[in-house]
Amino acid sequence: MEMQNIHVDEVSLMFEAARSFIGGAKIIIDSDGIEEDGVNRHPTLPVIVCLAIAIEIELKALLKLSSLSRPRGDGHDLKVLFEALPDSVQVELLEFQIAYTDFSASHAKEMLDEGKDVFKKWRYAYEKSTLETAPAFLFGFALALSEYIKSKTSIERSDNGWLKNDSRR
């Protein structure tokens, strides 16, 4: 599949934003968590929200690379965004992601369909009595999309979305 490089600058910024969200999720996943009453707790909410928005941004970047407009309506619906991609890109992505998620193409599509509203549901988690999702799938799928984008176009790396070493003080 050949994609046009007409929106490289904007796609590069989108790529950096998504990578930053993935990085934020990974930092939390790899951390020792927060000790509370003698128990280490790992916060799930920021991991899920970061991964969901990363996937959303990556799908929108792929639409730009395919010279397609974002679908009208709900911009957070991962299923709608994914299905707006050309069929050939969808098939290629679902095969590509297997190395990152260990999910078959059909199972990954099912997971994406089921998790289509993950960002909307998890960003206001306090409004729901129960929430379910698959963080490992989201992490692997976000990484797969990132690597797929890198394999399809040249990315101009920047510091957008990243702290500078002296910014943490």
Side-chain angles (χ1 to χ4, degrees):
M1 187 207 82
E2 209 171 298
M3 294 188 170
Q4 298 178 14
N5 284 333
I6 57 173
H7 302 289
V8 172
D9 291 338
E10 188 171 8
V11 168
S12 292
L13 293 173
M14 295 170 86
F15 176 85
E16 285 302 340
R19 287 295 283 201
S20 182
F21 281 118
I22 295 168
K26 182 154 179 28
I27 288 167
I28 295 167
I29 291 166
D30 290 346
S31 77
D32 293 333
I34 298 170
E35 191 275 323
E36 206 173 86
D37 299 324
V39 175
N40 275 2
R41 296 178 177 270
H42 290 81
T44 307
L45 242 154
V47 170
I48 302 304
V49 171
C50 283
L51 294 173
I53 197 70
I55 292 169
E56 176 183 326
I57 292 168
E58 291 166 327
L59 290 173
K60 289 175 179 177
L62 286 168
L63 287 168
K64 281 202 168 298
L65 284 172
S66 299
S67 298
L68 295 171
S69 299
R70 291 192 333 217
R72 292 197 182 275
D74 187 356
H76 298 300
D77 187 318
L78 301 181
K79 180 179 184 214
V80 167
L81 291 170
F82 184 82
E83 290 177 351
L85 293 169
D87 290 343
S88 61
V89 175
Q90 291 179 43
V91 169
E92 197 172 350
L93 271 172
L94 289 172
E95 288 301 319
F96 188 86
Q97 65 78 41
I98 293 170
Y100 296 86
T101 67
D102 288 329
F103 284 103
S104 69
S106 61
H107 193 201
K109 179 64 170 89
E110 236 174 70
M111 296 290 286
L112 197 58
D113 290 353
E114 289 172 9
K116 69 185 189 100
D117 294 323
V118 69
F119 178 74
K120 290 186 292 187
K121 290 178 180 175
W122 282 78
R123 68 181 171 175
Y124 301 120
Y126 56 86
E127 295 176 345
K128 315 285 187 289
S129 59
T130 56
L131 287 168
E132 289 183 23
T133 194
F137 169 75
L138 293 174
F139 185 75
F141 197 75
L143 269 180
L145 287 170
S146 176
E147 293 303 315
Y148 181 84
I149 291 169
K150 274 194 333 191
S151 76
K152 295 298 176 187
T153 191
S154 58
I155 298 294
E156 297 173 32
R157 298 303 305 259
S158 71
D159 290 329
N160 282 3
W162 302 96
L163 289 176
K164 308 259 191 281
N165 286 336
D166 60 349
S167 300
R168 298 187 333 189
R169 291 185 220 157

